[in-house]
mmCIF file of all heavy atoms in Angstrom:
data_model
loop_
_atom_site.group_PDB
_atom_site.id
_atom_site.type_symbol
_atom_site.label_atom_id
_atom_site.label_comp_id
_atom_site.label_asym_id
_atom_site.label_seq_id
_atom_site.Cartn_x
_atom_site.Cartn_y
_atom_site.Cartn_z
ATOM 1 N N ARG A 142 -13.351 0.472 -26.448
ATOM 2 C CA ARG A 142 -13.603 -0.572 -25.457
ATOM 3 C C ARG A 142 -14.459 -1.699 -26.044
ATOM 4 O O ARG A 142 -14.227 -2.878 -25.770
ATOM 5 C CB ARG A 142 -14.288 0.020 -24.226
ATOM 6 C CG ARG A 142 -13.348 0.795 -23.303
ATOM 7 C CD ARG A 142 -14.130 1.491 -22.204
ATOM 8 N NE ARG A 142 -13.265 2.007 -21.144
ATOM 9 C CZ ARG A 142 -13.599 2.994 -20.328
ATOM 10 N NH1 ARG A 142 -14.782 3.582 -20.430
ATOM 11 N NH2 ARG A 142 -12.759 3.398 -19.384
ATOM 12 N N LYS A 143 -15.422 -1.320 -26.849
ATOM 13 C CA LYS A 143 -16.276 -2.330 -27.480
ATOM 14 C C LYS A 143 -15.442 -3.216 -28.396
ATOM 15 O O LYS A 143 -15.603 -4.446 -28.412
ATOM 16 C CB LYS A 143 -17.397 -1.643 -28.252
ATOM 17 C CG LYS A 143 -18.416 -2.606 -28.840
ATOM 18 C CD LYS A 143 -19.568 -1.847 -29.483
ATOM 19 C CE LYS A 143 -20.607 -2.828 -30.045
ATOM 20 N NZ LYS A 143 -21.739 -2.106 -30.675
ATOM 21 N N ARG A 144 -14.546 -2.617 -29.165
ATOM 22 C CA ARG A 144 -13.673 -3.397 -30.058
ATOM 23 C C ARG A 144 -12.755 -4.318 -29.271
ATOM 24 O O ARG A 144 -12.549 -5.480 -29.646
ATOM 25 C CB ARG A 144 -12.840 -2.459 -30.944
ATOM 26 C CG ARG A 144 -11.782 -3.192 -31.780
ATOM 27 C CD ARG A 144 -11.040 -2.257 -32.698
ATOM 28 N NE ARG A 144 -10.229 -1.272 -32.018
ATOM 29 C CZ ARG A 144 -8.973 -1.494 -31.582
ATOM 30 N NH1 ARG A 144 -8.408 -2.691 -31.711
ATOM 31 N NH2 ARG A 144 -8.299 -0.513 -31.000
ATOM 32 N N LEU A 145 -12.192 -3.804 -28.181
ATOM 33 C CA LEU A 145 -11.248 -4.598 -27.381
ATOM 34 C C LEU A 145 -11.955 -5.613 -26.489
ATOM 35 O O LEU A 145 -11.311 -6.528 -25.973
ATOM 36 C CB LEU A 145 -10.399 -3.665 -26.512
ATOM 37 C CG LEU A 145 -9.437 -2.716 -27.233
ATOM 38 C CD1 LEU A 145 -8.775 -1.772 -26.233
ATOM 39 C CD2 LEU A 145 -8.386 -3.485 -28.014
ATOM 40 N N GLY A 146 -13.264 -5.432 -26.292
ATOM 41 C CA GLY A 146 -13.991 -6.310 -25.386
ATOM 42 C C GLY A 146 -13.691 -6.025 -23.928
ATOM 43 O O GLY A 146 -13.682 -6.931 -23.090
ATOM 44 N N THR A 147 -13.479 -4.750 -23.600
ATOM 45 C CA THR A 147 -13.145 -4.362 -22.228
ATOM 46 C C THR A 147 -14.252 -3.501 -21.636
ATOM 47 O O THR A 147 -15.031 -2.876 -22.356
ATOM 48 C CB THR A 147 -11.820 -3.568 -22.172
ATOM 49 O OG1 THR A 147 -11.964 -2.359 -22.943
ATOM 50 C CG2 THR A 147 -10.663 -4.378 -22.739
ATOM 51 N N LYS A 148 -14.298 -3.474 -20.323
ATOM 52 C CA LYS A 148 -15.217 -2.585 -19.616
ATOM 53 C C LYS A 148 -14.513 -1.299 -19.193
ATOM 54 O O LYS A 148 -15.108 -0.225 -19.171
ATOM 55 C CB LYS A 148 -15.786 -3.290 -18.381
ATOM 56 C CG LYS A 148 -16.698 -4.468 -18.711
ATOM 57 C CD LYS A 148 -17.227 -5.109 -17.445
ATOM 58 C CE LYS A 148 -18.166 -6.276 -17.769
ATOM 59 N NZ LYS A 148 -18.666 -6.947 -16.539
ATOM 60 N N ARG A 149 -13.243 -1.431 -18.841
ATOM 61 C CA ARG A 149 -12.498 -0.293 -18.299
ATOM 62 C C ARG A 149 -11.244 0.017 -19.110
ATOM 63 O O ARG A 149 -10.838 1.160 -19.233
ATOM 64 C CB ARG A 149 -12.124 -0.581 -16.839
ATOM 65 C CG ARG A 149 -11.520 0.581 -16.098
ATOM 66 C CD ARG A 149 -11.324 0.299 -14.612
ATOM 67 N NE ARG A 149 -10.654 1.429 -13.992
ATOM 68 C CZ ARG A 149 -9.327 1.583 -13.962
ATOM 69 N NH1 ARG A 149 -8.537 0.659 -14.483
ATOM 70 N NH2 ARG A 149 -8.795 2.657 -13.403
ATOM 71 N N GLY A 150 -10.612 -0.999 -19.657
ATOM 72 C CA GLY A 150 -9.341 -0.825 -20.355
ATOM 73 C C GLY A 150 -9.473 -0.104 -21.681
ATOM 74 O O GLY A 150 -10.464 -0.268 -22.393
ATOM 75 N N PHE A 151 -8.479 0.710 -22.008
ATOM 76 C CA PHE A 151 -8.409 1.410 -23.292
ATOM 77 C C PHE A 151 -6.997 1.946 -23.462
ATOM 78 O O PHE A 151 -6.165 1.860 -22.548
ATOM 79 C CB PHE A 151 -9.429 2.557 -23.358
ATOM 80 C CG PHE A 151 -9.168 3.674 -22.374
ATOM 81 C CD1 PHE A 151 -8.317 4.737 -22.671
ATOM 82 C CD2 PHE A 151 -9.756 3.653 -21.114
ATOM 83 C CE1 PHE A 151 -8.067 5.749 -21.756
ATOM 84 C CE2 PHE A 151 -9.513 4.663 -20.188
ATOM 85 C CZ PHE A 151 -8.667 5.711 -20.511
ATOM 86 N N ILE A 152 -6.736 2.504 -24.638
ATOM 87 C CA ILE A 152 -5.450 3.140 -24.939
ATOM 88 C C ILE A 152 -5.718 4.567 -25.394
ATOM 89 O O ILE A 152 -6.598 4.803 -26.230
ATOM 90 C CB ILE A 152 -4.693 2.379 -26.051
ATOM 91 C CG1 ILE A 152 -4.444 0.919 -25.647
ATOM 92 C CG2 ILE A 152 -3.364 3.075 -26.381
ATOM 93 C CD1 ILE A 152 -4.145 0.015 -26.833
ATOM 94 N N ALA A 153 -4.984 5.515 -24.832
ATOM 95 C CA ALA A 153 -4.991 6.899 -25.302
ATOM 96 C C ALA A 153 -3.538 7.322 -25.488
ATOM 97 O O ALA A 153 -2.665 6.889 -24.729
ATOM 98 C CB ALA A 153 -5.695 7.817 -24.314
ATOM 99 N N VAL A 154 -3.278 8.136 -26.498
ATOM 100 C CA VAL A 154 -1.895 8.502 -26.806
ATOM 101 C C VAL A 154 -1.751 10.019 -26.890
ATOM 102 O O VAL A 154 -2.724 10.745 -27.110
ATOM 103 C CB VAL A 154 -1.427 7.872 -28.139
ATOM 104 C CG1 VAL A 154 -1.496 6.358 -28.079
ATOM 105 C CG2 VAL A 154 -2.245 8.387 -29.326
ATOM 106 N N LYS A 155 -0.534 10.480 -26.689
ATOM 107 C CA LYS A 155 -0.207 11.873 -26.967
ATOM 108 C C LYS A 155 0.476 11.938 -28.326
ATOM 109 O O LYS A 155 0.966 10.939 -28.832
ATOM 110 C CB LYS A 155 0.697 12.445 -25.870
ATOM 111 C CG LYS A 155 1.971 11.668 -25.619
ATOM 112 C CD LYS A 155 3.070 12.533 -25.078
ATOM 113 C CE LYS A 155 3.576 13.501 -26.103
ATOM 114 N NZ LYS A 155 4.148 12.871 -27.320
ATOM 115 N N SER A 156 0.466 13.097 -28.914
ATOM 116 C CA SER A 156 1.020 13.259 -30.255
ATOM 117 C C SER A 156 2.534 13.439 -30.213
ATOM 118 O O SER A 156 3.145 13.539 -29.152
ATOM 119 C CB SER A 156 0.362 14.447 -30.951
ATOM 120 O OG SER A 156 0.598 15.635 -30.219
ATOM 121 N N ASN A 157 3.122 13.493 -31.387
ATOM 122 C CA ASN A 157 4.573 13.609 -31.503
ATOM 123 C C ASN A 157 5.078 14.938 -30.938
ATOM 124 O O ASN A 157 4.413 15.972 -31.046
ATOM 125 C CB ASN A 157 4.961 13.496 -32.987
ATOM 126 C CG ASN A 157 6.443 13.265 -33.161
ATOM 127 O OD1 ASN A 157 7.018 12.393 -32.536
ATOM 128 N ND2 ASN A 157 7.062 14.055 -34.021
ATOM 129 N N CYS A 158 6.275 14.886 -30.355
ATOM 130 C CA CYS A 158 6.836 16.080 -29.717
ATOM 131 C C CYS A 158 7.105 17.202 -30.709
ATOM 132 O O CYS A 158 7.045 18.376 -30.350
ATOM 133 C CB CYS A 158 8.120 15.721 -28.967
ATOM 134 S SG CYS A 158 9.381 14.928 -29.995
ATOM 135 N N SER A 159 7.369 16.874 -31.973
ATOM 136 C CA SER A 159 7.780 17.892 -32.937
ATOM 137 C C SER A 159 6.658 18.856 -33.322
ATOM 138 O O SER A 159 6.922 19.924 -33.864
ATOM 139 C CB SER A 159 8.337 17.228 -34.203
ATOM 140 O OG SER A 159 7.323 16.526 -34.881
ATOM 141 N N LEU A 160 5.395 18.473 -33.060
ATOM 142 C CA LEU A 160 4.303 19.370 -33.435
ATOM 143 C C LEU A 160 3.636 20.016 -32.228
ATOM 144 O O LEU A 160 2.611 20.682 -32.355
ATOM 145 C CB LEU A 160 3.276 18.630 -34.295
ATOM 146 C CG LEU A 160 2.730 17.295 -33.777
ATOM 147 C CD1 LEU A 160 1.568 17.504 -32.846
ATOM 148 C CD2 LEU A 160 2.321 16.420 -34.947
ATOM 149 N N GLN A 161 4.256 19.872 -31.043
ATOM 150 C CA GLN A 161 3.650 20.408 -29.832
ATOM 151 C C GLN A 161 3.796 21.918 -29.704
ATOM 152 O O GLN A 161 3.212 22.512 -28.802
ATOM 153 C CB GLN A 161 4.262 19.731 -28.600
ATOM 154 C CG GLN A 161 3.960 18.260 -28.489
ATOM 155 C CD GLN A 161 2.552 17.975 -28.025
ATOM 156 O OE1 GLN A 161 1.931 18.802 -27.381
ATOM 157 N NE2 GLN A 161 2.037 16.812 -28.346
ATOM 158 N N SER A 162 4.578 22.518 -30.569
ATOM 159 C CA SER A 162 4.656 23.986 -30.582
ATOM 160 C C SER A 162 3.870 24.558 -31.749
ATOM 161 O O SER A 162 3.090 25.509 -31.589
ATOM 162 C CB SER A 162 6.110 24.459 -30.626
ATOM 163 O OG SER A 162 6.818 23.806 -31.662
#
Side-chain angles (χ1 to χ4, degrees):
R142 284 173 168 157
K143 185 175 181 180
R144 173 177 66 84
L145 294 175
T147 61
K148 293 180 179 178
R149 188 173 176 274
F151 65 87
I152 301 161
V154 300
K155 55 153 291 299
S156 60
N157 194 50
C158 56
S159 66
L160 51 85
Q161 294 284 336
S162 50

